Amino acid sequence: MAAGKNAAASILEQMGYACIDADLAGHKAVENASGKIFEHFAEEAKKKGLSLRNEDGSVNRRALGEVVFSSPQLLQAHEAIVYPETERIIREFIEEKQKDSSVPGVVINAAVLYKLPDILRQVQFVLYVDAPVIMRYFRARKRDRLSPKKILERFASQKNLFAKYQNSNADIQRVWNTGSRQRLEKKILKILAALQS
């Protein structure tokens, strides 16, 4: 969270790569699975005084986040509902873009790609964008306007991500995003050049 995945994806998109944001695919998956979500989490939301349904009938993702990030069991239940649909959406995107010979490759912008093992097995390498925790904290505060408690809860849910990717046996290229966008772009270009040589 707030390490610079979106900046890296934007840089790669400017280079011609087709990019899909797994968070946005996840949002679409949430709407596609809204019936199951309402059914499974309504009682827990009610206990917290939250409504999972917006006025237009769509899922209130902020309220859903408050519910599912409140316990590992609820997060796991949410993932079991949403991840298969997210995986389907991403797979369709990959298949469509691979038909386009003008596209040099497909980029999946995702923090928890290791939780989509069928997709992860298809990737050539993982570009793991990282930054110090304190830097990520202040970026998240500025970007998302969440309370310190909510940010720390989300950080805790993503604890030891790098180790989880190492355990997946994926080819991992780690890049530290501690400076400007231009510095990040140079680092990415260097990694791509080394991989293509």
Side-chain angles (χ1 to χ4, degrees), residues 19-117:
C19 297
I20 183 166
D21 186 324
D23 284 345
L24 296 180
H27 297 169
K28 186 175 179 183
V30 164
E31 290 306 325
N32 291 353
S34 61
K36 288 180 184 176
I37 287 168
F38 293 142
E39 183 182 329
H40 195 89
F41 299 105
E43 190 176 319
E44 203 63 43
K46 190 175 179 181
K47 287 180 195 173
K48 295 178 178 296
L50 299 168
S51 172
L52 293 181
R53 198 183 298 265
N54 290 319
E55 287 182 15
D56 65 359
S58 63
V59 176
N60 180 336
R61 290 187 300 103
R62 188 171 286 268
L64 179 62
E66 285 191 44
V67 171
V68 302
F69 284 107
S70 66
S71 91
Q73 293 79 16
L74 290 171
L75 183 59
Q76 190 174 24
H78 174 260
E79 291 172 352
I81 294 169
V82 175
Y83 280 4
E85 179 63 10
T86 303
E87 202 163 60
R88 185 192 66 75
I89 291 165
I90 293 172
R91 190 179 299 108
E92 281 184 3
F93 179 86
I94 292 168
E95 289 168 2
E96 178 190 331
K97 297 303 176 183
Q98 284 177 332
K99 294 174 188 171
D100 186 345
S101 59
S102 68
V103 175
V106 176
V107 173
I108 305 166
N109 176 2
V112 291
L113 188 61
Y114 70 91
K115 291 188 176 184
L116 303 175

Side-chain angles (χ1 to χ4, degrees), residues 77-166:
H78 174 260
E79 291 172 352
I81 294 169
V82 175
Y83 280 4
E85 179 63 10
T86 303
E87 202 163 60
R88 185 192 66 75
I89 291 165
I90 293 172
R91 190 179 299 108
E92 281 184 3
F93 179 86
I94 292 168
E95 289 168 2
E96 178 190 331
K97 297 303 176 183
Q98 284 177 332
K99 294 174 188 171
D100 186 345
S101 59
S102 68
V103 175
V106 176
V107 173
I108 305 166
N109 176 2
V112 291
L113 188 61
Y114 70 91
K115 291 188 176 184
L116 303 175
D118 289 344
I119 299 293
L120 185 57
R121 279 191 286 274
Q122 295 180 39
V123 305
Q124 289 181 310
F125 72 95
V126 172
L127 182 65
Y128 189 92
V129 183
D130 209 346
V133 172
I134 192 71
M135 188 176 278
R136 293 191 300 115
Y137 173 82
F138 284 111
R139 285 176 183 167
R141 284 280 289 168
K142 183 178 179 182
R143 182 189 72 189
D144 300 332
R145 296 187 178 96
L146 294 172
S147 70
K149 182 180 180 221
K150 298 284 182 233
I151 292 170
L152 294 175
E153 282 175 0
R154 298 227 176 148
F155 279 7
S157 75
Q158 295 181 347
K159 194 174 177 183
N160 300 320
L161 272 184
F162 189 70
K164 289 172 182 171
Y165 278 103
Q166 287 177 311

